[in-house]
Amino acid sequence: MKILQHLILCCLSLAIISCGSGKTNKQSTEQTPVANKFKIKQLLEKNTCFACHKQDEKLVGPSYSEIAKRSYSDERIVELIYKPEPENWPEYPAPMVALPHLDQKELLEIAHWINSLN
Ligand code: HEC
């Protein structure tokens, strides 16, 4: 009987421990750069940027790490997404489509991420 009690106690505390650690795990991933990167990927996907841009490779448009080298401010990048200036990239034959309908807050997050690649 004692053994059974012990077993139940053991199971209970295990459940409590695993429950607790599950919670802290969730909290900590929300703040890690990995989670942030995942969020940026989602934003880029949602806003169709991936159709023309990759992080490290030239596609229809320049790679984000290439753009980061221009040392624009975050605000300037947002401006350029709203109103592209193809003359900045003469080696790309097709200009970027203007995307004036996108959310400014989301674009600022994307811009900040682009600059972090430099
Ligand atoms: C239809 C293809 C296309 C899509 C979609 C697209 N881009 Fe571009 N992008 C380009 C091309 C081509 C260039 C280079 C020529 C230019 O700036 O017009 C460019 C340039 C840029 C630049 C550099 C601007 C400059 O003047 O230096 C940034 C920043 C950028 N894109 C971000 C984005 C982001 C963020 C998204 C999604 C919200 C996006 N682009 C969607 C094709 C695209």
Side-chain angles (χ1 to χ4, degrees):
M1 197 55 202
K2 258 225 158 123
I3 290 176
L4 196 69
Q5 262 181 355
H6 199 81
L7 244 164
I8 289 169
L9 212 90
C10 227
C11 282
L12 248 166
S13 49
L14 250 177
I16 290 167
I17 289 168
S18 59
C19 198
S21 70
K23 241 187 196 160
T24 44
N25 260 349
K26 194 168 171 242
Q27 269 173 356
S28 62
T29 47
E30 270 165 15
Q31 276 142 24
T32 56
V34 178
N36 189 36
K37 214 168 152 191
F38 182 69
K39 191 183 167 204
I40 294 291
K41 291 253 152 82
Q42 278 186 322
L43 286 180
L44 292 172
E45 220 157 87
K46 183 183 121 190
N47 293 321
T48 67
C49 319
F50 273 141
C52 300
H53 293 280
K54 276 182 139 184
Q55 185 171 330
D56 296 309
E57 270 172 74
K58 199 168 152 174
L59 209 61
V60 183
S63 69
Y64 289 124
S65 40
E66 202 58 41
I67 295 168
K69 287 191 194 137
R70 301 265 169 131
S71 308
Y72 296 128
S73 67
D74 295 352
E75 289 77 17
R76 176 77 176 132
I77 289 183
V78 174
E79 218 176 272
L80 286 166
I81 296 167
Y82 281 136
K83 204 165 163 287
E85 293 174 17
E87 59 273 22
N88 292 345
W89 300 91
E91 65 276 35
Y92 289 83
M96 175 158 152
V97 284
L99 301 161
H101 57 284
L102 298 184
D103 185 82
Q104 189 175 8
K105 247 207 211 140
E106 290 184 1
L107 288 187
L108 260 178
E109 277 184 62
I110 292 174
H112 194 72
W113 170 78
I114 291 175
N115 277 331
S116 78
L117 298 173
N118 200 1

